Amino acid sequence: ATAAGAAAAAAAAYSTVHASSRGDTAVAEAAAAAAGIAYTAAFFSTGGDTAIADAAAAVAATAYATAYTSSGGDTALAAGAAAAAAAAVPLRAKLGLMGATTPL
């Protein structure tokens, strides 16, 4: 179940980032990898909550693509942004802040 969820999250991230980056396969592949990692980490840290894992994956992909673009292609910065953004998702869910617009 975890592998299937991570694969689906990665595929969705690839598709979204590939389209939003006008076909940049390198950034799409990296965002997909970040999403898969985020999904797996959130899945295990929440005891198998797939909704939170899906949210973490989506957040990671968006954060990766945004940081990559705004930094002029800094992959290390983008990976760090993705990891930090995804790590906050289970905490936000635990605190009842999913969907909230204010940062923690």
Side-chain angles (χ1 to χ4, degrees), residues 1-7 9 34-44 49-57 86:
T2 308
I37 292 166
Y39 182 96
T40 303
F43 182 87
F44 286 113
D49 189 319
T50 57
I52 293 174
D54 284 336

Side-chain angles (χ1 to χ4, degrees), residues 16-45:
T16 301
V17 173
H18 189 263
S20 68
S21 67
R22 293 183 293 253
D24 187 332
T25 56
V27 71
E29 287 170 2
I37 292 166
Y39 182 96
T40 303
F43 182 87
F44 286 113
S45 74

Side-chain angles (χ1 to χ4, degrees), residues 5-101:
Y14 183 93
S15 177
T16 301
V17 173
H18 189 263
S20 68
S21 67
R22 293 183 293 253
D24 187 332
T25 56
V27 71
E29 287 170 2
I37 292 166
Y39 182 96
T40 303
F43 182 87
F44 286 113
S45 74
T46 61
D49 189 319
T50 57
I52 293 174
D54 284 336
V59 165
T62 301
Y64 188 97
T66 302
Y68 180 88
T69 302
S70 67
S71 69
D74 187 331
T75 56
L77 177 73
V89 172
L91 177 59
R92 291 179 70 83
K94 186 174 185 175
L95 297 174
L97 298 173
M98 292 305 288
T101 56

